[in-house]
């Protein structure tokens, strides 16, 4: 008997590398891995269902579930998680000293429905009283003009989203002061290049994230792993095998981080940051599986519906294949 050949689109992470290089074998699977950027993966997955298994935007996937047209079904493998307090960039010459100062401002976004933006809008409203309707959202490409939403969204009537001028990019508009800030998962190029009037809203973004976690016990989830629904139906063993394999790959990545003999990633202070994270979040900060993550997903789905992105309130259980909502134990 031969293994099932399936294409798997995912990011090039330490937590996926053992699947790509063969150190972890997914039971019954001969994988065809494709290491792609989130933008390419998500566009091809949601527009063309291009992959058998794909990393998926949690927001885009939730929209498809709410509308009843989900071509993929998720597995609770959370390949991307991030505290997004790092992801609010401002013009430092526009009188924005605290989150409340975003009211009445023009803020750039690449897409309204990006998972990072859902989390940030929810946090801004819940923690600082800044509603989505308090901001004029300017949508466009970061470095290339004219980026479209990958999924059409119908927003509340009090939310104003305007298109960036034809031929304009959000990076250049921010650099020129034509918008007051930017929110998104990638930093704008002008910030990375050290523009003198572009900075972060949360200057101590790590401290802000630590305070947020201490209050909420939420480590925001950005991406899930999805399997084409027709393949999951034809091979009911496959969702569980994927959860097992990706969990093993993550465990190897975490084991490597703990090895202090020589740093495995090209960054100083790895041990110090790891100890700091574990002191706050426990020995396994980046958990997979539904148990222990229900409250994180439930908060996201509440934000998603309140912001008008999902036409109905999706439940956590609806997101995941039934075979992956629980796991065996010895």
């Amino acid at each position: 008997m031969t293994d099932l050949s399936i294409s798997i689109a995912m990011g090039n992470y330490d937590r996926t590398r053992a699947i790509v290089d063969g150190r972890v074998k997914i039971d019954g699977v001969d994988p065809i891995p494709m290491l792609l950027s989130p933008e390419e993966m998500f566009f091809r997955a949601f527009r063309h269902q291009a992959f058998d298994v794909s990393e998926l935007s949690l927001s885009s996937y939730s929209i498809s579930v709410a509308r009843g047209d989900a071509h993929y079904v998720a597995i609770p493998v959370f390949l991307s998680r991030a505290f997004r307090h790092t992801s609010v960039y401002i013009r430092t010459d526009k009188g924005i000293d605290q989150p409340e100062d975003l009211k009445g401002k023009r803020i750039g976004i690449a897409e309204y429905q990006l998972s990072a933006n859902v989390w940030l809008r929810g946090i801004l409203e819940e923690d600082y009283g800044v509603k989505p309707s308090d901001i004029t959202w300017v949508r466009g490409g970061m470095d290339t003009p004219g980026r479209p939403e990958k999924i059409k969204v119908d927003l509340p009537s009090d939310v104003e989203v305007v298109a960036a001028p034809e031929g304009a990019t959000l990076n250049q508009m921010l650099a020129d002061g034509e918008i007051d800030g930017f929110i998104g998962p990638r930093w704008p190029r002008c910030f990375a290049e050290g523009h003198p009037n572009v900075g972060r809203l949360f200057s101590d973004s790590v401290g802000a994230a630590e305070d947020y976690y201490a209050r909420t016990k939420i480590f925001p989830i950005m991406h899930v792993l999805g399997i084409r629904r027709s393949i999951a139906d034809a091979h009911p063993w496959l969702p569980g095998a994927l959860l097992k394999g990706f969990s093993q790959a993550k465990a190897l990545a975490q084991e490597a981080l703990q090895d202090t003999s020589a740093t495995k990633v090209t960054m100083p202070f790895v041990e110090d940051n790891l100890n700091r994270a574990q002191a706050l979040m426990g020995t396994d900060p980046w958990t997979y599986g539904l148990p222990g993550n229900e409250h994180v997903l439930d908060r996201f789905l509440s934000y998603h519906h309140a912001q008008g992105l999902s036409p109905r309130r999706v439940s956590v259980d609806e997101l995941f294949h039934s075979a992956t909502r629980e796991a065996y134990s010895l």
Side-chain angles (χ1 to χ4, degrees):
M1 295 181 66
T2 58
D3 289 340
L4 180 65
S5 179
I6 59 171
S7 59
I8 304 178
M10 54 191 170
N12 185 14
Y13 314 124
D14 63 346
R15 51 198 172 274
T16 58
R17 205 155 293 138
I19 291 173
V20 177
D21 64 25
R23 283 177 293 150
V24 166
K25 172 77 168 65
I26 300 172
D27 294 341
V29 170
D30 178 16
I32 305 171
M34 304 179 192
L35 302 180
L36 305 174
S37 70
E39 291 85 354
E40 180 177 358
M41 271 189 298
F42 300 164
F43 183 86
R44 293 173 65 184
F46 287 105
R47 286 293 185 95
H48 306 292
Q49 299 85 53
F51 314 106
D52 299 324
V53 174
S54 180
E55 186 174 342
L56 300 175
S57 156
L58 177 57
S59 177
S60 299
Y61 174 63
S62 298
I63 292 172
S64 69
V65 171
R67 292 176 177 174
D69 61 357
H71 296 281
Y72 291 91
V73 59
I75 297 164
V77 167
F78 308 121
L79 290 177
S80 177
R81 304 181 76 141
F83 292 105
R84 288 304 186 187
H85 295 79
T86 59
S87 299
V88 188
Y89 302 88
I90 57 166
R91 288 285 307 197
T92 56
D93 55 353
K94 295 294 185 81
I96 305 173
D97 299 313
Q98 55 190 353
E100 292 83 353
D101 296 331
L102 293 173
K103 292 181 179 181
K105 296 297 193 288
R106 288 165 48 85
I107 303 298
I109 49 171
E111 294 184 52
Y112 195 84
Q113 59 89 41
L114 294 180
S115 302
N117 295 349
V118 174
W119 277 111
L120 280 166
R121 285 190 299 267
I123 290 169
L124 287 172
E125 180 168 9
E126 197 163 43
D127 288 356
Y128 305 101
V130 181
K131 299 178 181 179
S133 57
D134 292 330
I135 292 171
T136 297
W137 304 96
V138 181
R139 193 176 65 76
M142 293 183 67
D143 294 309
T144 304
R147 174 172 168 171
E149 293 271 4
K150 68 179 67 68
I151 292 182
K152 186 180 184 301
V153 294
D154 298 310
L155 301 178
S157 59
D158 62 347
V159 173
E160 184 179 7
V161 179
V162 300
E166 186 174 353
T169 66
L170 295 178
N171 178 72
Q172 195 61 52
M173 293 179 73
L174 184 61
D176 294 342
E178 296 173 2
I179 53 177
D180 304 307
F182 171 81
I183 289 178
R186 290 184 182 274
W187 57 18
R189 184 163 42 82
C190 60
F191 172 81
E193 293 172 349
H195 192 290
N197 296 121
V198 176
R200 281 194 170 120
L201 173 64
F202 297 97
S203 55
D204 180 11
S205 57
V206 175
E210 288 178 327
D211 172 72
Y212 173 77
Y213 183 84
R215 289 185 288 108
T216 65
K217 297 297 183 287
I218 289 175
F219 182 18
I221 292 168
M222 302 295 147
H223 304 167
V224 295
L225 189 68
I227 177 172
R228 195 194 305 274
R229 195 173 295 272
S230 59
I231 295 177
D233 290 342
H235 305 283
W237 53 269
L238 184 55
L242 289 166
L243 176 58
K244 176 183 174 182
F246 274 83
S247 297
Q248 291 173 338
K250 178 176 73 76
L252 288 179
Q254 290 175 312
E255 182 181 320
L257 277 179
Q258 298 280 3
D259 182 357
T260 59
S261 62
T263 298
K264 301 301 183 291
V265 294
T266 313
M267 188 179 72
F269 311 118
V270 173
E271 300 95 330
D272 308 85
N273 285 317
L274 181 62
N275 290 340
R276 183 172 178 174
Q278 291 180 335
L280 178 69
M281 303 171 67
T283 57
D284 183 14
W286 199 302
T287 55
Y288 288 174
L290 192 51
N293 283 302
E294 297 96 335
H295 69 294
V296 181
L297 294 157
D298 192 66
R299 184 71 61 90
F300 178 86
L301 293 170
S302 291
Y303 288 162
H304 202 261
H305 180 56
Q307 293 173 25
L309 290 167
S310 46
R312 64 177 181 82
R313 174 59 158 83
V314 175
S315 70
V316 173
D317 278 349
E318 287 181 82
L319 296 178
F320 299 104
H321 192 279
S322 58
T324 64
R325 294 178 197 151
E326 57 184 2
Y328 77 95
S329 61
L330 296 177

